[in-house]
Amino acid sequence: MKDAWADVEKAETQPLTALFKSEPGRLARLGIEEAGIRFDFSKTHLSDGLLSAFERLAEQRDLAGARDALFSGKQVNVTEGRAAEHSAERGQGAPESVARARGFHARMRALIDAIEAEAFGPIRHILHIGIGGSALGPDFLIDALGRDSDRYETAVVSNVDGAALEEAIGRFDPMTTLLVIASKTFTTSETMLNAQSALLWMEQGGVADPYGRVIALTASPDQAIEFGIDETRILPFAETVGGRYSLWSSIGFPVALALGWQAFEELLEGAATMDRHFRLAPLTDNAPVLAAFVDRYYANIRAAQTRAVFAYDERLRLLPSYLQQLEMESNGKSVTVDGEPVGRATSPIVWGGVGTDAQHAVFQLLHQGTHLVPVEFIAAIEPEHDLAFDHHRQLLINCFAQGAALMAGKEADDPARSYPGDRPSTTILLDRVDPATLGALIAFYEHRVFVNAVLLGINPFDQFGVELGKQIAKAIDGDDGFDFDPSTKALIERALGAAN
Ligand code: F6P
């Protein structure tokens, strides 16, 4: 059978401004409204021809079958022989997995009720320790949605650099702090060391039973028990929920505590709305699918090595970091599910920042540089602050102006003052920044990653690439006679001493 990628490679498209003229229905066709979000893909080079070619590719790769396998709890994570059941956390999955997730959520809720009833004494501060998927989601959501909340003061500490923990505990009173240790494996070295230091800080601060003030969030309860945490304060989640997809599980505990249980439920329901959209909408009317077609076009046909994400909203300032893990840890792969070289570019390098700051820092390159960088703008119609609406108006005006300028370009007699234009962007416009909308937005990104992986034939759910560095760090730490290269040896000797 002919590889449908050949059709994608051959499909015709035109400059963006020409596409708007030759395809009159374009704005409607490439605009999708779902869960309080408008996705506008019309300023990309996705032509009618390209869209049909990608549809054929999706069919050949059996995207519909892969999607069913994902939602029905089949072993889609083939290299690790397990399912990927993050959607079951929001009620969309195999009935037994959904029931298990509900049970775990009920445990979470009961513990939150107990904390609120002061079963642990008065709690004012939440010190959440975790890294990667055990930190980025809670950090993003609490920063985005907890700005007005005076329920608890929260710190998410991930880096093993002591400066990170010191900064957080410097603001907190150990007597009124709840220590949350989040780790799927409960073996991650950075998290374990930070947790030990936080416990010591509590002990030295006069807490009689520091371990009694710890909540563990993990898929490895045995490890947490071995660490010294009582079973009643361990909130488990399923092994089949991947670390970077775990926000919906008990890893979301600090979100539910800081924002309230109702907000957490709304977050799950928003994500479930996107799950249903992804499962049921036709491919060409499906936001994660169209987004993945756009990703593949620029990465594979136009050789774009990066994608930039700019949040035109302070509340969403941590979104780019969240997406970096989700996308690059998932799809930064070189082999297919069958272990063959993948033969084409996989995940782009995802980077970004906040608008309007980024306009005064990196946008020069986007408008006139030599790299093609597909840009994603994310903004919300409703502001949260109490200052004059003109702030928000200016923010949105700037966001929309950048997309228009990238596309239109401008000729001038002076080459230094010319803008080539025809530079693509996607705009994601939220009605508002609330738990349901952010739930839907994050689920959109999860499914987009999945569709990209299916089109490429790779497994988005393992992450063996992070292991070698961990092994070498262990070898250096243990001074176990591993024969390091001269450069590494010299660095170790200079900074840590010959015998480290
Ligand atoms: O090293 C990568 C990684 O395994 C991520 O996939 C994960 O989110 C992070 O480390 C933290 O792992 P854990 O939750 O097991 O501490």
Side-chain angles (χ1 to χ4, degrees), residues 107 211-212 214-216 224-225 227-235:
R107 274 182 74 136
Y211 278 85
V214 176
I215 311 289
I225 291 171
F227 185 88
I229 301 165
D230 190 80
E231 210 177 337
T232 54
R233 280 175 283 95
I234 296 175
L235 294 175

Side-chain angles (χ1 to χ4, degrees), residues 130-136 182-192 217-218 220 237 242-246 251 325 329 462-463 466-467 470:
I131 198 164
S134 293
L136 290 161
S183 175
K184 179 174 177 185
T185 55
F186 232 79
T187 55
T188 304
S189 63
E190 294 97 319
T191 300
M192 295 303 116
L217 320 176
T218 187
S220 313
F237 64 96
R244 55 193 171 276
Y245 299 86
S246 62
I251 293 294
Q325 188 206 19
E329 196 167 84
D462 63 15
Q463 59 286 320
V466 300
E467 293 306 326
K470 289 184 194 172

